[in-house]
Amino acid sequence: VHLDDANILHNIRRRYYQDEIYTYTANVLLAVNPYKSIPGLYTPEKIAEYRGRSPGMLPPHPYAIADTAYRHQLREKDKK
């Protein structure tokens, strides 16, 4: 996979039309404003789905990034 502008934009556009507004590019989460509500995107069930999972195991989502950061923070706290 080549990370040039055309490929990134093509992937973002394709995902946008499928209501998949989040995309990973390497280790960066890209988001596109859908200008509408997408049901089920920010529910307690969605949080539980991403809890304890590594980014890449499930579709891109801010919850994956947040959970990874939280677990990293807990690991660092245990080292002190």
Side-chain angles (χ1 to χ4, degrees):
V1 175
H2 299 288
L3 292 180
D4 59 63
D5 292 349
N7 282 319
I8 292 170
L9 290 173
H10 172 73
N11 188 39
I12 291 171
R13 184 177 295 115
R14 181 183 56 81
R15 294 179 62 79
Y16 173 83
Y17 287 119
Q18 297 173 351
D19 285 341
E20 297 173 351
I21 61 169
Y22 299 111
T23 302
Y24 289 128
T25 298
N27 62 348
V28 176
L29 179 68
L30 302 177
V32 177
N33 187 340
Y35 295 101
K36 64 180 180 180
S37 179
I38 298 176
L41 196 57
Y42 306 110
T43 63
E45 293 80 16
K46 187 64 75 173
I47 293 171
E49 184 179 342
Y50 282 84
R51 186 170 290 131
R53 307 299 278 292
S54 297
M57 292 181 72
L58 295 169
H61 198 285
Y63 292 158
I65 304 299
D67 186 70
T68 300
Y70 177 71
R71 287 186 287 124
H72 179 74
Q73 189 177 30
L74 290 177
R75 279 194 308 274
E76 290 301 310
K77 180 181 175 187
D78 288 343
K79 290 181 180 179
K80 293 180 180 182

